[in-house]
């Protein structure tokens, strides 16, 4: 079997490869649901948008909470905007007890105050709230763990898919383009996570790179299946 004759592999091998591709795509779909849960909660199923990506990687935890899933516990969206503005202003002691603390005491203290610290978070005093209003995005420890897992898992998947796709009958330029796009998108997405901690404008890079990565993986898998089961033309 020559390098471009993957379609002539034994039936069992083609079935195994097809099964791997389908399981990988299904696994990525489940992963997308988990990402959706981390960004929106169980109540909303939607593709990640710029605002949700900013909330995950760029906004301080308090601002992200009141603008996303925790916002439903506030009396009015304006209260969330008020807290978000206070975070943007630096989360200082000035203005906290006059503007922010009354909202937190009325709407959040039942779970995050008066002895209740759900999620190990207390929102009673400025000293407790300040770290949640100034530190941008996910912590370095959390991002490091996510980066390690993402690069290893997706990188290994791309190695297998790209290696198999290189053995198909498609043109060499298409093979090179798709494999390069997948790896570059992976690097740009992960890089965007870290850059978004410095400036929320980098959230656009995370969104675009994530979409390109998903598209390239889906295309690699689909074309690989097509080549495996496409009948040869007889002269």
């Amino acid at each position: 079997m020559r390098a471009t004759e993957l379609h002539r592999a034994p039936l069992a091998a083609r079935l195994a490869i097809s099964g791997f591709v389908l399981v990988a795509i299904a696994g990525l779909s489940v992963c997308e649901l988990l990402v959706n849960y981390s960004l929106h909660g169980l109540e909303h199923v939607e593709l990640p948008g710029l605002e949700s990506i900013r909330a995950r990687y760029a906004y301080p935890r308090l601002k992200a909470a009141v603008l996303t899933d925790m916002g439903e516990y506030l009396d009015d969206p304006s209260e969330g905007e008020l807290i978000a503005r206070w975070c943007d202003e630096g989360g200082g002691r000035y203005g906290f007890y006059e503007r922010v603390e009354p909202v937190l005491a009325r709407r959040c203290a039942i779970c995050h105050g008066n002895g209740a610290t759900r999620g190990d978070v207390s929102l009673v005093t400025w000293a407790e709230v300040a770290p949640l209003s100034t530190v941008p995005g996910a912590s370095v420890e959390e991002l490091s763990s996510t980066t390690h897992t993402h690069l290893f898992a997706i990188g290994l998947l791309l190695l297998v898919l790209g290696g198999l796709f290189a053995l198909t009958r498609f043109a060499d330029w298409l093979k090179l383009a798709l494999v390069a796009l997948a790896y570059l998108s992976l690097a740009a997405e992960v890089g965007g996570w870290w850059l978004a901690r410095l400036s929320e404008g980098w959230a656009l890079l995370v969104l675009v790179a994530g979409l390109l990565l998903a598209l390239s993986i889906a295309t690699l898998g689909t074309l690989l299946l097509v080549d495996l089961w496409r009948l040869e033309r007889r002269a």
Side-chain angles (χ1 to χ4, degrees):
M1 188 177 71
R2 295 195 299 271
T4 56
E5 292 184 344
L6 186 64
H7 62 289
R8 292 185 178 178
L11 178 61
R14 287 187 288 148
L15 286 173
I17 294 172
S18 300
F20 170 79
V21 172
L22 293 174
V23 168
I25 293 176
L28 288 175
S29 300
V30 173
C31 181
E32 170 57 33
L33 290 177
L34 292 176
V35 171
N36 183 86
Y37 171 72
S38 71
L39 295 174
H40 306 290
L42 290 174
E43 294 78 9
H44 305 91
V45 178
E46 57 186 81
L47 289 175
L50 275 178
E51 188 63 21
S52 61
I53 292 174
R54 291 190 185 107
R56 176 70 178 83
Y57 299 108
Y59 291 165
R61 290 177 62 187
L62 180 61
K63 178 180 177 179
V66 298
L67 293 182
T68 55
D69 53 321
M70 293 296 103
E72 64 183 88
Y73 297 105
L74 301 177
D75 290 333
D76 187 89
S78 63
E79 293 181 333
E81 295 170 0
L82 181 151
I83 295 174
R85 284 197 302 272
W86 175 75
C87 292
D88 291 339
E89 293 167 0
R93 181 186 293 270
Y94 176 77
F96 173 75
Y97 289 101
E98 294 81 2
R99 295 182 294 160
V100 176
E101 192 274 340
V103 177
L104 298 179
R106 185 173 63 255
R107 304 303 302 169
C108 306
I110 189 171
C111 293
H112 302 288
N114 300 323
T117 55
R118 188 173 182 179
D120 293 325
V121 174
S122 177
L123 301 176
V124 177
T125 67
W126 173 78
E128 293 170 329
V129 175
L132 304 176
S133 63
T134 55
V135 179
S139 67
V140 173
E141 293 78 8
E142 183 182 356
L143 266 187
S144 297
S145 177
T146 305
T147 298
H148 170 265
T149 303
H150 197 68
L151 287 178
F152 182 80
I154 302 300
L156 185 59
L157 175 62
L158 293 181
L159 173 63
V160 176
L161 284 180
L164 291 172
F165 186 65
L167 302 179
T168 63
R169 290 166 285 177
F170 291 102
D172 289 342
W173 67 265
L174 180 60
K175 299 175 185 178
L176 178 62
L178 281 178
V179 172
L181 175 63
Y183 277 106
L184 288 174
S185 298
L186 174 61
E189 181 186 36
V190 173
W193 297 347
W194 292 88
L195 291 171
R197 298 185 81 252
L198 304 177
S199 171
E200 63 184 56
W202 289 104
L204 180 61
L205 175 63
V206 178
L207 177 63
V208 173
L211 291 175
L212 288 176
L213 178 59
L215 178 63
S216 59
I217 290 176
T219 303
L220 283 170
T222 300
L223 293 181
L224 181 55
L225 291 175
V226 169
D227 187 76
L228 279 173
W229 301 104
R230 183 178 60 181
L231 296 176
E232 290 188 275
R233 296 180 180 178
R234 297 186 180 276

